[in-house]
Amino acid sequence: MNCSISGEVPEEPVVSKKSGLLYEKRLIERHISDYGKCPITGEPLTMDDVVPIKTGKIVKPRPVQAASIPGMLGMFQIEWDGLMLSNFALEQQLHTARQELSHALYQHDAACRVIARLKKERDEARTLLAHAERQMPMSASTTATDNASVLSKEKRAAEDEEIGPGGKRIRPGISASILADLTDCNAALSQQRKKRQIPSTLAPVDALERYTQLSSYPLHKTSKPGILSVDIHYTKDIIATGGVDTNAVLFDRSSGEILSTLSGHSKKVTSVKFVAQADLVVTGSADKTVRVWQGSENGNYDCRHILKDHTAEVQAVTVHATNNYFVTASLDNTWCFYDLSSGLCLTQVPDASGSEGYTSAAFHPDGLILGTGTSGALVKIWDVKSQANVARFDGHVGAVTAISFSENGYFLATAAHDGVKLWDLRKLKNFRTFTPYDENTPTQSVEFDHSGSYLAIAGADIRVYQVANVKSEWNCIKTFPDLSGTGKANCVKFGPDAKNIAVGSMDRNLRIFGLPGDDDVPSES
């Protein structure tokens, strides 16, 4: 009798009570465990329905071919021939697969080369087009007409710009030459920082303790008062302010005169930055645009570029240490990296981790790290070369309104509704927190001086702290009251060698604090 599954004589025969069929025990056990039914009739079957059969020892008969040596040799020959045929077929398949793979790799390599060449040609054409459209000479006497021309050119450029999948603009990206420029700048500045010493001309602590208001200048309109941003051109001692009245004002501190009023934005100017070596000013506004202003021989500043890459308010502008590039941060949850000479947005970096927009941004002094603050109380650190978010700090309450890196390269100060936090970039942790005001009074601004020796905080008043070192702790050495009467100082900036401090509040006046007797600058009320 043979097994109903294998068709061979079973070694351990068992029989089904239900069907009476004979099986090999190990085969029927496996089938029942997998399917729970009879393999022949399909009826439900368990091992309790199977009865073992006791039989004598059975000696399996040899096949006819194995009954003699010539027969066995014939069997071996047949097996060997089958093995060789199978091996030959496998080798043929392997050879064909290798040929197909080689051909596919060749096609892929050729396609990559063509794509790379086309991209290079496209980027070169875009750069040439940008230079041709945006670097046309402009007449200072016809600023209004020129601004309209720039708007028209920017509109055409936006319309002609290539649109990628999902309706997003295609950016050329940060090229290898630009990355090399950033890396070289980082290496040079890092080397200089190792040898950095506090300048002997820096204002000492006892001098800052005696600082008082030296002058006040009404730079902006009375109808829309408020100064939101301040920057200082150290070599020329020129102060730039951005106001709620949609204007940015360039002010010569030494003469006490307004050099130029930059008009063109349709909403408040939220950020203003000098580009020290190029006589350029970059402004960001709540009208979603960024403008680059070029100084002319007659002292006026003409609008050179109008950049419309953001879809929400531009909250911050920060210029790279090379003075060739700058970054803008917006409430649309992206930051853009621009080439300054062409005004071309090389890359626009979205943050997929959340929906909070950016409210502040600053480059690290060495230029390869970007710090951003969000409306969701987070501080994010970015690698500029890879545009990757490499660290994030939480713990603040409210939007991060200001961010400042110390010149020593190790400390980061951030301001939010709950005060100021100091972060150690080596350990990526918060090591000190200042809460100068009550819970209903936000901190608006924080700023290290250029030497990294002092820290200024602005909110309901202005406070100056001494940065801790071997000989001293973080001490508040001076508090200036907010003389604007608004109770809201929006921005603070140290002058050269901390010899003076510029403050902007929610009135129209720029205030200069310093040491009486050391400043003969004329004052206006």
Side-chain angles (χ1 to χ4, degrees), residues 105-361:
L105 290 175
Y106 176 78
Q107 287 183 324
H108 178 267
D109 182 63
C112 289
R113 289 175 183 274
V114 171
I115 291 171
R117 179 173 57 80
L118 292 176
K119 282 187 174 181
K120 183 179 179 181
E121 292 176 356
R122 182 201 64 186
D123 295 343
E124 291 175 352
R126 279 183 175 176
T127 304
L128 291 174
L129 179 62
H131 278 282
E133 287 188 347
R134 299 180 180 180
Q135 289 189 333
M136 299 177 103
M138 302 177 66
S139 172
S141 61
T142 57
T143 304
T145 305
D146 291 343
N147 283 346
S149 175
V150 171
L151 282 168
S152 177
K153 287 189 294 182
E154 292 293 336
K155 184 177 181 180
R156 290 198 304 270
E159 290 173 349
D160 296 340
E161 193 163 18
E162 192 172 349
I163 304 299
K168 296 182 179 180
R169 296 176 181 174
I170 298 176
R171 309 295 183 187
I174 302 177
S175 66
S177 60
I178 295 177
L179 292 178
D181 191 15
L182 301 181
T183 304
D184 292 344
C185 177
N186 171 263
L189 293 177
S190 299
Q191 190 65 27
Q192 293 176 13
R193 183 162 291 105
K194 293 178 181 178
K195 303 176 182 178
R196 183 182 70 93
Q197 294 183 350
I198 303 300
S200 59
T201 55
L202 181 70
V205 174
D206 59 345
L208 265 79
E209 292 174 345
R210 292 180 285 134
Y211 277 14
T212 185
Q213 178 174 311
L214 300 178
S215 51
S216 175
Y217 304 95
L219 303 183
H220 292 269
K221 296 179 180 178
T222 307
S223 59
K224 293 183 178 181
I227 297 176
L228 303 179
S229 179
V230 169
D231 196 26
I232 298 178
H233 194 302
Y234 288 124
T235 57
K236 296 183 178 181
D237 204 9
I238 298 175
I239 301 175
T241 61
V244 177
D245 61 355
T246 74
N247 293 331
V249 176
L250 301 186
F251 174 77
D252 187 346
R253 195 186 70 86
S254 59
S255 65
E257 296 179 352
I258 293 176
L259 299 179
S260 183
T261 299
L262 312 183
S263 300
H265 286 293
S266 60
K267 294 184 179 180
K268 62 185 179 181
V269 178
T270 56
S271 184
V272 57
K273 290 293 179 183
F274 280 108
V275 182
Q277 298 177 1
D279 201 18
L280 295 172
V281 177
V282 185
T283 57
S285 171
D287 64 5
K288 307 177 187 178
T289 68
V290 177
R291 290 181 178 239
V292 180
W293 308 81
Q294 172 75 62
S296 58
E297 294 179 358
N298 60 7
N300 292 326
Y301 280 75
D302 302 319
C303 184
R304 181 174 170 183
H305 305 303
I306 303 176
L307 312 174
K308 300 180 179 180
D309 298 285
H310 288 292
T311 58
E313 291 186 13
V314 178
Q315 292 286 299
V317 174
T318 177
V319 179
H320 190 267
T322 58
N323 290 306
N324 295 327
Y325 316 101
F326 68 94
V327 161
T328 61
S330 167
L331 289 178
D332 64 7
N333 202 32
T334 68
W335 57 267
C336 292
F337 186 93
Y338 288 93
D339 174 66
L340 191 56
S341 62
S342 65
L344 185 64
C345 179
L346 300 178
T347 183
Q348 185 168 12
V349 182
D351 186 4
S353 62
S355 59
E356 306 94 351
Y358 295 116
T359 50
S360 55

Side-chain angles (χ1 to χ4, degrees), residues 418-421 433-438 443 457 463 465:
D418 59 340
V420 171
K421 290 185 181 293
T433 300
F434 298 113
T435 53
Y437 314 118
D438 59 47
T443 305
I457 297 174
R463 305 188 184 196
Y465 289 80

Side-chain angles (χ1 to χ4, degrees), residues 425-485:
L425 297 176
R426 295 165 296 184
K427 301 177 182 179
L428 297 179
K429 69 176 184 179
N430 170 234
F431 67 90
R432 185 170 291 273
T433 300
F434 298 113
T435 53
Y437 314 118
D438 59 47
E439 61 181 8
N440 296 321
T441 305
T443 305
Q444 297 294 335
S445 180
V446 64
E447 183 78 22
F448 282 103
D449 79 305
H450 191 64
S451 70
S453 302
Y454 302 113
L455 178 72
I457 297 174
D461 53 29
I462 302 93
R463 305 188 184 196
V464 180
Y465 289 80
Q466 182 182 14
V467 175
N469 53 40
V470 177
K471 298 181 180 179
S472 63
E473 289 294 326
W474 292 85
N475 300 318
C476 181
I477 57 180
K478 185 66 177 180
T479 300
F480 305 104
D482 177 31
L483 300 178
S484 69

